[in-house]
Amino acid sequence: MSCIFCAIVRGDAEASVVLDEGDFLAFMDIYPFLPGHVLIIPKRHAQYVHELEPAEQAGLFTAGARVAAAVRASPVPSGDVHFLVNDGPIANQTVPHVHLHVLPRTRGDLPKVFAALAKRPAVALLGQARRALLDEQAAAIAAAL
Ligand code: 5GP
Ligand code: ZN
């Protein structure tokens, strides 16, 4: 089975890692909706939240809460954050490996969110965020953990 997030866990695909601890990994989203967009995953492959063990479900959110606190404490612009899980393709899941989005919001950024949503279908054609920028944001958030 080919899963890009499993490839990241194995170290076979590049990622700007924020947190690598126990059963969980957090890294920057390569097509960020907004600056500082982080994904948290269980290292064990599962597509749906209900396929995770209860301890993994809890651990995912615990790791997400830590990352969100670090985002808030970091220089990455954030007022508040979205926690988001798209649990299956009908619910807009595009990578079939459970992931928790932590998406920093800043006051007045709604037009940027709508622009990102509008560009979403073409996002792979529009290009990935620059790795150097993602690495910089990952390091800034990691430093605030
Ligand atoms: P979903 O729509 O499944 O909830 O979100 C999947 C997320 O994974 C998207 O926001 C997308 O930008 C991100 N993504 C897709 N491929 C990669 C990748 O290779 N590396 C990283 N870091 N993020 C990815
Ligand atoms: Zn996977």
PDB file of all heavy atoms in Angstrom, residues 12-43:
ATOM      1  N   ASP A  12      11.163   8.024   3.994  1.00  0.00           N
ATOM      2  CA  ASP A  12      11.336   7.872   2.539  1.00  0.00           C
ATOM      3  C   ASP A  12      10.828   9.090   1.768  1.00  0.00           C
ATOM      4  O   ASP A  12      11.024   9.196   0.562  1.00  0.00           O
ATOM      5  CB  ASP A  12      10.576   6.628   2.037  1.00  0.00           C
ATOM      6  CG  ASP A  12      11.215   5.343   2.540  1.00  0.00           C
ATOM      7  OD1 ASP A  12      12.386   5.396   2.972  1.00  0.00           O
ATOM      8  OD2 ASP A  12      10.539   4.291   2.503  1.00  0.00           O
ATOM      9  N   ALA A  13      10.087   9.967   2.433  1.00  0.00           N
ATOM     10  CA  ALA A  13       9.623  11.208   1.793  1.00  0.00           C
ATOM     11  C   ALA A  13       9.978  12.356   2.726  1.00  0.00           C
ATOM     12  O   ALA A  13      10.011  12.197   3.949  1.00  0.00           O
ATOM     13  CB  ALA A  13       8.112  11.158   1.556  1.00  0.00           C
ATOM     14  N   GLU A  14      10.246  13.504   2.096  1.00  0.00           N
ATOM     15  CA  GLU A  14      10.706  14.674   2.848  1.00  0.00           C
ATOM     16  C   GLU A  14       9.557  15.295   3.657  1.00  0.00           C
ATOM     17  O   GLU A  14       8.412  15.280   3.194  1.00  0.00           O
ATOM     18  CB  GLU A  14      11.207  15.703   1.834  1.00  0.00           C
ATOM     19  CG  GLU A  14      12.330  16.561   2.318  1.00  0.00           C
ATOM     20  CD  GLU A  14      12.781  17.535   1.231  1.00  0.00           C
ATOM     21  OE1 GLU A  14      12.217  17.506   0.118  1.00  0.00           O
ATOM     22  OE2 GLU A  14      13.689  18.328   1.523  1.00  0.00           O
ATOM     23  N   ALA A  15       9.871  15.834   4.817  1.00  0.00           N
ATOM     24  CA  ALA A  15       8.868  16.578   5.585  1.00  0.00           C
ATOM     25  C   ALA A  15       9.572  17.558   6.510  1.00  0.00           C
ATOM     26  O   ALA A  15      10.715  17.328   6.919  1.00  0.00           O
ATOM     27  CB  ALA A  15       8.001  15.628   6.408  1.00  0.00           C
ATOM     28  N   SER A  16       8.880  18.646   6.803  1.00  0.00           N
ATOM     29  CA  SER A  16       9.399  19.643   7.748  1.00  0.00           C
ATOM     30  C   SER A  16       8.780  19.326   9.100  1.00  0.00           C
ATOM     31  O   SER A  16       7.644  19.721   9.400  1.00  0.00           O
ATOM     32  CB  SER A  16       9.018  21.047   7.277  1.00  0.00           C
ATOM     33  OG  SER A  16       9.572  21.269   5.994  1.00  0.00           O
ATOM     34  N   VAL A  17       9.522  18.575   9.902  1.00  0.00           N
ATOM     35  CA  VAL A  17       8.980  17.969  11.121  1.00  0.00           C
ATOM     36  C   VAL A  17       8.968  18.974  12.276  1.00  0.00           C
ATOM     37  O   VAL A  17       9.955  19.665  12.537  1.00  0.00           O
ATOM     38  CB  VAL A  17       9.796  16.706  11.499  1.00  0.00           C
ATOM     39  CG1 VAL A  17       9.374  16.165  12.856  1.00  0.00           C
ATOM     40  CG2 VAL A  17       9.621  15.644  10.416  1.00  0.00           C
ATOM     41  N   VAL A  18       7.823  19.027  12.941  1.00  0.00           N
ATOM     42  CA  VAL A  18       7.640  19.888  14.116  1.00  0.00           C
ATOM     43  C   VAL A  18       7.851  19.074  15.391  1.00  0.00           C
ATOM     44  O   VAL A  18       8.465  19.531  16.350  1.00  0.00           O
ATOM     45  CB  VAL A  18       6.208  20.481  14.106  1.00  0.00           C
ATOM     46  CG1 VAL A  18       5.907  21.231  15.397  1.00  0.00           C
ATOM     47  CG2 VAL A  18       6.007  21.388  12.889  1.00  0.00           C
ATOM     48  N   LEU A  19       7.314  17.852  15.395  1.00  0.00           N
ATOM     49  CA  LEU A  19       7.337  17.014  16.598  1.00  0.00           C
ATOM     50  C   LEU A  19       7.420  15.556  16.176  1.00  0.00           C
ATOM     51  O   LEU A  19       6.646  15.119  15.300  1.00  0.00           O
ATOM     52  CB  LEU A  19       6.042  17.252  17.389  1.00  0.00           C
ATOM     53  CG  LEU A  19       5.745  16.347  18.578  1.00  0.00           C
ATOM     54  CD1 LEU A  19       6.673  16.672  19.743  1.00  0.00           C
ATOM     55  CD2 LEU A  19       4.290  16.499  19.016  1.00  0.00           C
ATOM     56  N   ASP A  20       8.364  14.834  16.758  1.00  0.00           N
ATOM     57  CA  ASP A  20       8.486  13.390  16.522  1.00  0.00           C
ATOM     58  C   ASP A  20       8.609  12.751  17.890  1.00  0.00           C
ATOM     59  O   ASP A  20       9.676  12.775  18.499  1.00  0.00           O
ATOM     60  CB  ASP A  20       9.726  13.103  15.659  1.00  0.00           C
ATOM     61  CG  ASP A  20       9.873  11.612  15.349  1.00  0.00           C
ATOM     62  OD1 ASP A  20       9.098  10.805  15.903  1.00  0.00           O
ATOM     63  OD2 ASP A  20      10.760  11.270  14.546  1.00  0.00           O
ATOM     64  N   GLU A  21       7.493  12.247  18.384  1.00  0.00           N
ATOM     65  CA  GLU A  21       7.485  11.781  19.771  1.00  0.00           C
ATOM     66  C   GLU A  21       6.582  10.563  19.887  1.00  0.00           C
ATOM     67  O   GLU A  21       5.387  10.636  19.544  1.00  0.00           O
ATOM     68  CB  GLU A  21       6.969  12.900  20.674  1.00  0.00           C
ATOM     69  CG  GLU A  21       7.269  12.679  22.138  1.00  0.00           C
ATOM     70  CD  GLU A  21       6.948  13.937  22.929  1.00  0.00           C
ATOM     71  OE1 GLU A  21       5.765  14.269  23.070  1.00  0.00           O
ATOM     72  OE2 GLU A  21       7.902  14.590  23.389  1.00  0.00           O
ATOM     73  N   GLY A  22       7.152   9.450  20.349  1.00  0.00           N
ATOM     74  CA  GLY A  22       6.348   8.251  20.570  1.00  0.00           C
ATOM     75  C   GLY A  22       5.643   7.819  19.301  1.00  0.00           C
ATOM     76  O   GLY A  22       6.276   7.642  18.249  1.00  0.00           O
ATOM     77  N   ASP A  23       4.343   7.677  19.390  1.00  0.00           N
ATOM     78  CA  ASP A  23       3.548   7.141  18.281  1.00  0.00           C
ATOM     79  C   ASP A  23       3.057   8.217  17.317  1.00  0.00           C
ATOM     80  O   ASP A  23       2.255   7.921  16.421  1.00  0.00           O
ATOM     81  CB  ASP A  23       2.325   6.402  18.845  1.00  0.00           C
ATOM     82  CG  ASP A  23       2.741   5.195  19.679  1.00  0.00           C
ATOM     83  OD1 ASP A  23       3.816   4.622  19.389  1.00  0.00           O
ATOM     84  OD2 ASP A  23       2.004   4.835  20.614  1.00  0.00           O
ATOM     85  N   PHE A  24       3.520   9.472  17.491  1.00  0.00           N
ATOM     86  CA  PHE A  24       2.958  10.575  16.704  1.00  0.00           C
ATOM     87  C   PHE A  24       4.039  11.418  16.037  1.00  0.00           C
ATOM     88  O   PHE A  24       5.145  11.549  16.560  1.00  0.00           O
ATOM     89  CB  PHE A  24       2.075  11.463  17.603  1.00  0.00           C
ATOM     90  CG  PHE A  24       0.973  10.677  18.230  1.00  0.00           C
ATOM     91  CD1 PHE A  24       1.124  10.159  19.513  1.00  0.00           C
ATOM     92  CD2 PHE A  24      -0.177  10.381  17.529  1.00  0.00           C
ATOM     93  CE1 PHE A  24       0.128   9.375  20.076  1.00  0.00           C
ATOM     94  CE2 PHE A  24      -1.172   9.599  18.076  1.00  0.00           C
ATOM     95  CZ  PHE A  24      -1.022   9.091  19.354  1.00  0.00           C
ATOM     96  N   LEU A  25       3.654  11.959  14.899  1.00  0.00           N
ATOM     97  CA  LEU A  25       4.556  12.827  14.152  1.00  0.00           C
ATOM     98  C   LEU A  25       3.747  14.064  13.723  1.00  0.00           C
ATOM     99  O   LEU A  25       2.588  13.925  13.312  1.00  0.00           O
ATOM    100  CB  LEU A  25       5.041  12.072  12.907  1.00  0.00           C
ATOM    101  CG  LEU A  25       6.156  12.666  12.069  1.00  0.00           C
ATOM    102  CD1 LEU A  25       7.474  12.676  12.873  1.00  0.00           C
ATOM    103  CD2 LEU A  25       6.360  11.846  10.782  1.00  0.00           C
ATOM    104  N   ALA A  26       4.362  15.230  13.840  1.00  0.00           N
ATOM    105  CA  ALA A  26       3.717  16.462  13.361  1.00  0.00           C
ATOM    106  C   ALA A  26       4.658  17.124  12.371  1.00  0.00           C
ATOM    107  O   ALA A  26       5.869  17.204  12.599  1.00  0.00           O
ATOM    108  CB  ALA A  26       3.425  17.398  14.528  1.00  0.00           C
ATOM    109  N   PHE A  27       4.099  17.586  11.255  1.00  0.00           N
ATOM    110  CA  PHE A  27       4.918  18.223  10.214  1.00  0.00           C
ATOM    111  C   PHE A  27       4.083  19.269   9.487  1.00  0.00           C
ATOM    112  O   PHE A  27       2.850  19.271   9.561  1.00  0.00           O
ATOM    113  CB  PHE A  27       5.476  17.166   9.229  1.00  0.00           C
ATOM    114  CG  PHE A  27       4.446  16.200   8.701  1.00  0.00           C
ATOM    115  CD1 PHE A  27       3.710  16.496   7.573  1.00  0.00           C
ATOM    116  CD2 PHE A  27       4.207  14.987   9.351  1.00  0.00           C
ATOM    117  CE1 PHE A  27       2.758  15.604   7.087  1.00  0.00           C
ATOM    118  CE2 PHE A  27       3.258  14.086   8.876  1.00  0.00           C
ATOM    119  CZ  PHE A  27       2.530  14.408   7.739  1.00  0.00           C
ATOM    120  N   MET A  28       4.791  20.138   8.769  1.00  0.00           N
ATOM    121  CA  MET A  28       4.099  21.221   8.063  1.00  0.00           C
ATOM    122  C   MET A  28       3.344  20.671   6.858  1.00  0.00           C
ATOM    123  O   MET A  28       3.855  19.808   6.132  1.00  0.00           O
ATOM    124  CB  MET A  28       5.101  22.289   7.575  1.00  0.00           C
ATOM    125  CG  MET A  28       5.999  22.890   8.636  1.00  0.00           C
ATOM    126  SD  MET A  28       5.156  23.491  10.098  1.00  0.00           S
ATOM    127  CE  MET A  28       4.173  24.830   9.412  1.00  0.00           C
ATOM    128  N   ASP A  29       2.129  21.191   6.638  1.00  0.00           N
ATOM    129  CA  ASP A  29       1.366  20.839   5.441  1.00  0.00           C
ATOM    130  C   ASP A  29       2.077  21.433   4.221  1.00  0.00           C
ATOM    131  O   ASP A  29       2.468  22.599   4.219  1.00  0.00           O
ATOM    132  CB  ASP A  29      -0.057  21.406   5.545  1.00  0.00           C
ATOM    133  CG  ASP A  29      -0.985  20.804   4.517  1.00  0.00           C
ATOM    134  OD1 ASP A  29      -0.713  20.945   3.296  1.00  0.00           O
ATOM    135  OD2 ASP A  29      -1.980  20.191   4.908  1.00  0.00           O
ATOM    136  N   ILE A  30       2.244  20.607   3.206  1.00  0.00           N
ATOM    137  CA  ILE A  30       3.021  21.053   2.045  1.00  0.00           C
ATOM    138  C   ILE A  30       2.242  22.012   1.132  1.00  0.00           C
ATOM    139  O   ILE A  30       2.833  22.771   0.366  1.00  0.00           O
ATOM    140  CB  ILE A  30       3.543  19.835   1.261  1.00  0.00           C
ATOM    141  CG1 ILE A  30       4.812  20.193   0.510  1.00  0.00           C
ATOM    142  CG2 ILE A  30       2.504  19.276   0.323  1.00  0.00           C
ATOM    143  CD1 ILE A  30       5.648  19.018   0.128  1.00  0.00           C
ATOM    144  N   TYR A  31       0.913  21.985   1.235  1.00  0.00           N
ATOM    145  CA  TYR A  31       0.068  22.948   0.508  1.00  0.00           C
ATOM    146  C   TYR A  31      -0.730  23.731   1.563  1.00  0.00           C
ATOM    147  O   TYR A  31      -1.945  23.541   1.692  1.00  0.00           O
ATOM    148  CB  TYR A  31      -0.901  22.240  -0.441  1.00  0.00           C
ATOM    149  CG  TYR A  31      -0.260  21.318  -1.448  1.00  0.00           C
ATOM    150  CD1 TYR A  31      -0.439  19.941  -1.383  1.00  0.00           C
ATOM    151  CD2 TYR A  31       0.513  21.826  -2.495  1.00  0.00           C
ATOM    152  CE1 TYR A  31       0.128  19.089  -2.316  1.00  0.00           C
ATOM    153  CE2 TYR A  31       1.093  20.974  -3.426  1.00  0.00           C
ATOM    154  CZ  TYR A  31       0.897  19.614  -3.327  1.00  0.00           C
ATOM    155  OH  TYR A  31       1.464  18.773  -4.248  1.00  0.00           O
ATOM    156  N   PRO A  32      -0.058  24.582   2.329  1.00  0.00           N
ATOM    157  CA  PRO A  32      -0.729  25.196   3.486  1.00  0.00           C
ATOM    158  C   PRO A  32      -1.906  26.080   3.095  1.00  0.00           C
ATOM    159  O   PRO A  32      -1.813  26.837   2.124  1.00  0.00           O
ATOM    160  CB  PRO A  32       0.384  26.024   4.137  1.00  0.00           C
ATOM    161  CG  PRO A  32       1.437  26.188   3.093  1.00  0.00           C
ATOM    162  CD  PRO A  32       1.313  25.051   2.139  1.00  0.00           C
ATOM    163  N   PHE A  33      -2.984  25.946   3.855  1.00  0.00           N
ATOM    164  CA  PHE A  33      -4.129  26.853   3.698  1.00  0.00           C
ATOM    165  C   PHE A  33      -3.718  28.262   4.090  1.00  0.00           C
ATOM    166  O   PHE A  33      -4.112  29.242   3.484  1.00  0.00           O
ATOM    167  CB  PHE A  33      -5.256  26.402   4.633  1.00  0.00           C
ATOM    168  CG  PHE A  33      -6.333  25.631   3.950  1.00  0.00           C
ATOM    169  CD1 PHE A  33      -6.068  24.412   3.378  1.00  0.00           C
ATOM    170  CD2 PHE A  33      -7.621  26.132   3.894  1.00  0.00           C
ATOM    171  CE1 PHE A  33      -7.059  23.701   2.748  1.00  0.00           C
ATOM    172  CE2 PHE A  33      -8.625  25.426   3.269  1.00  0.00           C
ATOM    173  CZ  PHE A  33      -8.350  24.211   2.705  1.00  0.00           C
ATOM    174  N   LEU A  34      -2.959  28.316   5.181  1.00  0.00           N
ATOM    175  CA  LEU A  34      -2.486  29.571   5.750  1.00  0.00           C
ATOM    176  C   LEU A  34      -1.102  29.282   6.324  1.00  0.00           C
ATOM    177  O   LEU A  34      -0.775  28.114   6.595  1.00  0.00           O
ATOM    178  CB  LEU A  34      -3.418  30.028   6.877  1.00  0.00           C
ATOM    179  CG  LEU A  34      -4.824  30.491   6.462  1.00  0.00           C
ATOM    180  CD1 LEU A  34      -5.743  30.564   7.664  1.00  0.00           C
ATOM    181  CD2 LEU A  34      -4.761  31.835   5.749  1.00  0.00           C
ATOM    182  N   PRO A  35      -0.277  30.295   6.565  1.00  0.00           N
ATOM    183  CA  PRO A  35       1.044  30.036   7.137  1.00  0.00           C
ATOM    184  C   PRO A  35       0.931  29.322   8.489  1.00  0.00           C
ATOM    185  O   PRO A  35       0.045  29.617   9.283  1.00  0.00           O
ATOM    186  CB  PRO A  35       1.616  31.447   7.324  1.00  0.00           C
ATOM    187  CG  PRO A  35       0.854  32.306   6.375  1.00  0.00           C
ATOM    188  CD  PRO A  35      -0.520  31.721   6.280  1.00  0.00           C
ATOM    189  N   GLY A  36       1.823  28.359   8.710  1.00  0.00           N
ATOM    190  CA  GLY A  36       1.850  27.658  10.001  1.00  0.00           C
ATOM    191  C   GLY A  36       0.913  26.469  10.074  1.00  0.00           C
ATOM    192  O   GLY A  36       0.665  25.942  11.158  1.00  0.00           O
ATOM    193  N   HIS A  37       0.420  26.004   8.938  1.00  0.00           N
ATOM    194  CA  HIS A  37      -0.528  24.879   8.870  1.00  0.00           C
ATOM    195  C   HIS A  37       0.220  23.569   9.159  1.00  0.00           C
ATOM    196  O   HIS A  37       1.086  23.154   8.399  1.00  0.00           O
ATOM    197  CB  HIS A  37      -1.133  24.872   7.463  1.00  0.00           C
ATOM    198  CG  HIS A  37      -2.210  23.871   7.221  1.00  0.00           C
ATOM    199  ND1 HIS A  37      -2.954  23.882   6.066  1.00  0.00           N
ATOM    200  CD2 HIS A  37      -2.677  22.830   7.950  1.00  0.00           C
ATOM    201  CE1 HIS A  37      -3.829  22.894   6.094  1.00  0.00           C
ATOM    202  NE2 HIS A  37      -3.670  22.232   7.232  1.00  0.00           N
ATOM    203  N   VAL A  38      -0.138  22.919  10.282  1.00  0.00           N
ATOM    204  CA  VAL A  38       0.558  21.699  10.721  1.00  0.00           C
ATOM    205  C   VAL A  38      -0.398  20.513  10.652  1.00  0.00           C
ATOM    206  O   VAL A  38      -1.599  20.649  10.884  1.00  0.00           O
ATOM    207  CB  VAL A  38       1.069  21.856  12.176  1.00  0.00           C
ATOM    208  CG1 VAL A  38       1.793  20.592  12.642  1.00  0.00           C
ATOM    209  CG2 VAL A  38       1.992  23.062  12.305  1.00  0.00           C
ATOM    210  N   LEU A  39       0.156  19.348  10.326  1.00  0.00           N
ATOM    211  CA  LEU A  39      -0.600  18.087  10.361  1.00  0.00           C
ATOM    212  C   LEU A  39       0.003  17.200  11.443  1.00  0.00           C
ATOM    213  O   LEU A  39       1.226  17.084  11.536  1.00  0.00           O
ATOM    214  CB  LEU A  39      -0.499  17.360   9.020  1.00  0.00           C
ATOM    215  CG  LEU A  39      -0.966  18.131   7.782  1.00  0.00           C
ATOM    216  CD1 LEU A  39      -0.654  17.331   6.513  1.00  0.00           C
ATOM    217  CD2 LEU A  39      -2.449  18.444   7.861  1.00  0.00           C
ATOM    218  N   ILE A  40      -0.855  16.574  12.243  1.00  0.00           N
ATOM    219  CA  ILE A  40      -0.390  15.618  13.252  1.00  0.00           C
ATOM    220  C   ILE A  40      -0.944  14.259  12.881  1.00  0.00           C
ATOM    221  O   ILE A  40      -2.148  14.130  12.593  1.00  0.00           O
ATOM    222  CB  ILE A  40      -0.867  16.016  14.671  1.00  0.00           C
ATOM    223  CG1 ILE A  40      -0.287  17.387  15.052  1.00  0.00           C
ATOM    224  CG2 ILE A  40      -0.416  14.993  15.713  1.00  0.00           C
ATOM    225  CD1 ILE A  40      -1.227  18.506  14.929  1.00  0.00           C
ATOM    226  N   ILE A  41      -0.087  13.251  12.864  1.00  0.00           N
ATOM    227  CA  ILE A  41      -0.536  11.902  12.466  1.00  0.00           C
ATOM    228  C   ILE A  41      -0.094  10.860  13.493  1.00  0.00           C
ATOM    229  O   ILE A  41       0.945  11.021  14.142  1.00  0.00           O
ATOM    230  CB  ILE A  41       0.010  11.491  11.066  1.00  0.00           C
ATOM    231  CG1 ILE A  41       1.536  11.368  11.078  1.00  0.00           C
ATOM    232  CG2 ILE A  41      -0.443  12.462   9.990  1.00  0.00           C
ATOM    233  CD1 ILE A  41       2.100  10.657   9.838  1.00  0.00           C
ATOM    234  N   PRO A  42      -0.886   9.773  13.601  1.00  0.00           N
ATOM    235  CA  PRO A  42      -0.360   8.596  14.296  1.00  0.00           C
ATOM    236  C   PRO A  42       0.618   7.923  13.337  1.00  0.00           C
ATOM    237  O   PRO A  42       0.387   7.896  12.117  1.00  0.00           O
ATOM    238  CB  PRO A  42      -1.607   7.723  14.511  1.00  0.00           C
ATOM    239  CG  PRO A  42      -2.548   8.122  13.418  1.00  0.00           C
ATOM    240  CD  PRO A  42      -2.230   9.549  13.042  1.00  0.00           C
ATOM    241  N   LYS A  43       1.712   7.382  13.854  1.00  0.00           N
ATOM    242  CA  LYS A  43       2.690   6.750  12.945  1.00  0.00           C
ATOM    243  C   LYS A  43       2.121   5.472  12.332  1.00  0.00           C
ATOM    244  O   LYS A  43       2.464   5.103  11.218  1.00  0.00           O
ATOM    245  CB  LYS A  43       3.987   6.452  13.698  1.00  0.00           C
ATOM    246  CG  LYS A  43       4.744   7.725  14.049  1.00  0.00           C
ATOM    247  CD  LYS A  43       6.047   7.423  14.760  1.00  0.00           C
ATOM    248  CE  LYS A  43       6.757   8.708  15.156  1.00  0.00           C
ATOM    249  NZ  LYS A  43       7.940   8.464  15.979  1.00  0.00           N
TER     250      LYS A  43
END
